[in-house]
Amino acid sequence: MCDETEGLDTATLSADDHQLPPHQSPGAAGQQPQDPPARPDVPHEPPPEIKKAMLAAAYAEQMIERLAALQNEQVIKYTGISRVELGLRVWNAPLAEVAGRLGLKKHVLRRVCTLFKVPIPPKGYFNTGFAHRSIRWTRVAGGGGTR
């Protein structure tokens, strides 16, 4: 019986105790958390002109990605490889050699590269030594992986 009364006493004691959240110390119990003072010179949102420009930039980025994807589809249709892969091949070997490997003629491959914005090296690029080339490689913008 003695154990039951001790249990009741501890239960009433714990109900009377004020529990603090774990992140507060006993000294801060009476204080309310304060927000830092708001500075009137610091805006909370960008101005409408900047918002509009940000939305336009995001839309333009989506359109560029879509254009690259469409170009990639067309390059795959005509050559059997992706735009990125074609760009790498064109910059690593002469156009005639790449065209022969793809089963195309040199002028057809040049036309495909020009139409679908795949950068090609200038004339005489492979006639100079590697160390003396002014342009070494130009990256092709995305639009899907290699095939």
Side-chain angles (χ1 to χ4, degrees), residues 69-85:
L70 290 171
Q71 288 175 334
N72 192 44
E73 289 174 13
Q74 291 298 310
V75 169
I76 290 172
K77 177 181 169 184
Y78 290 113
T79 64
I81 58 175
S82 70
R83 259 180 100 235
V84 175
E85 179 68 22

Side-chain angles (χ1 to χ4, degrees), residues 8 20 31 33 36 48-49 52 54 62 68-69 72 90 117 129 143 146:
L8 287 175
L20 294 174
Q31 298 176 357
E49 302 86 32
K52 187 176 178 181
M54 289 168 55
Q62 288 176 346
N72 192 44
V90 164
K117 307 292 187 212
T146 58

Side-chain angles (χ1 to χ4, degrees), residues 71-128:
Q71 288 175 334
N72 192 44
E73 289 174 13
Q74 291 298 310
V75 169
I76 290 172
K77 177 181 169 184
Y78 290 113
T79 64
I81 58 175
S82 70
R83 259 180 100 235
V84 175
E85 179 68 22
L86 180 61
L88 289 173
R89 288 188 187 191
V90 164
W91 281 89
N92 286 318
L95 272 180
E97 188 178 317
V98 175
R101 289 181 185 168
L102 295 174
L104 302 171
K105 295 190 177 194
K106 179 181 170 182
H107 69 278
V108 174
L109 181 61
R110 181 180 298 276
R111 173 64 60 94
V112 168
C113 290
T114 305
L115 282 175
F116 301 113
K117 307 292 187 212
V118 176
I120 55 175
K123 284 189 173 186
Y125 179 78
F126 292 102
N127 293 338
T128 60

Side-chain angles (χ1 to χ4, degrees), residues 50-68 70:
I50 294 178
K51 275 186 170 180
K52 187 176 178 181
M54 289 168 55
L55 287 173
Y59 180 72
E61 187 176 332
Q62 288 176 346
M63 295 308 295
I64 289 171
E65 289 175 4
R66 181 66 184 140
L67 173 63
L70 290 171

